[in-house]
Amino acid sequence: MPAPYQFPLHLRFGDVDSYGHVNNVRFLQFLEDARVHWLREPAPGGGDGPRTEPGPTMFDYVTEANFTLVGRHEIEYLAPLMYRPAPIAVNLWVTRVGGSSFDLGYSVAEIDGSSLYAYAATSMVLVSRSTGRPVRLPHALRAAFGEYAGPTVPFRRRPPLPSEAEAAASVEGGAA
């Protein structure tokens, strides 16, 4: 599997809340910072040998007629992240590419991977500016995403609560 994109991120004192650790809402900003920088990186590929000029970015494949929207976020916090001067890493990879959408996986961790603070996932949709409707992802963008393909995010899933299990069983039983 290709290595995920790694975005080094310096924490700011303002990221810390009254409990002394980085506030959960700040993690969404960390994901956005990494995602925007990643989309503006030169797209992988583009021929053999070193480039003499910067190549197109993945964002360049999104035309002026389109834009991307976040459709969904999910974050699982694994350990408190305390303020410190050393940067952390937001690692990013592509977990799924659909017709007009793509899913990203993230880990927020030490740069060397020694500690993991959170897993996250984001679903993005390419949308027409004029209609507000989803549009197909360009082939070149799909190819660039393939260079960052990785596994699904290893979220821990909790078993359903008894009331949830009973509701699911009644729906399944009623559909037969």
Side-chain angles (χ1 to χ4, degrees), residues 6-9 11 79-91 107-118:
Q6 187 174 76
F7 178 68
L9 181 82
L11 299 176
L81 177 56
M82 310 308 275
Y83 175 78
R84 79 296 181 65
I88 59 165
V90 180
N91 300 298
S107 65
V108 179
E110 293 295 331
I111 294 217
D112 65 3
S114 61
S115 293
L116 183 62
Y117 302 104

Side-chain angles (χ1 to χ4, degrees), residues 43-175:
D48 296 327
R51 288 189 175 144
T52 56
E53 296 178 18
T57 68
M58 286 180 279
F59 193 76
D60 290 332
Y61 295 125
V62 177
T63 69
E64 291 181 10
N66 305 317
F67 61 98
T68 56
L69 292 176
V70 171
R72 180 175 191 272
H73 284 302
E74 183 174 358
I75 301 175
E76 181 176 346
Y77 302 96
L78 303 169
L81 177 56
M82 310 308 275
Y83 175 78
R84 79 296 181 65
I88 59 165
V90 180
N91 300 298
L92 176 150
W93 62 95
V94 177
T95 61
R96 185 192 67 82
V97 179
S100 61
S101 64
F102 57 97
D103 294 347
L104 301 173
Y106 310 84
S107 65
V108 179
E110 293 295 331
I111 294 217
D112 65 3
S114 61
S115 293
L116 183 62
Y117 302 104
Y119 278 125
T122 300
S123 295
M124 302 290 296
V125 182
L126 185 63
V127 175
S128 165
R129 287 186 190 276
S130 63
T131 67
R133 309 264 319 161
V135 296
R136 288 202 60 79
L137 294 169
H139 176 72
L141 187 57
R142 291 171 174 282
F145 285 168
E147 296 291 323
Y148 293 96
T152 59
V153 179
F155 290 121
R156 294 178 296 198
R157 300 293 180 190
R158 291 183 284 186
L161 297 171
S163 60
E164 294 170 339
E166 291 168 12
S170 70
V171 168
E172 289 173 7

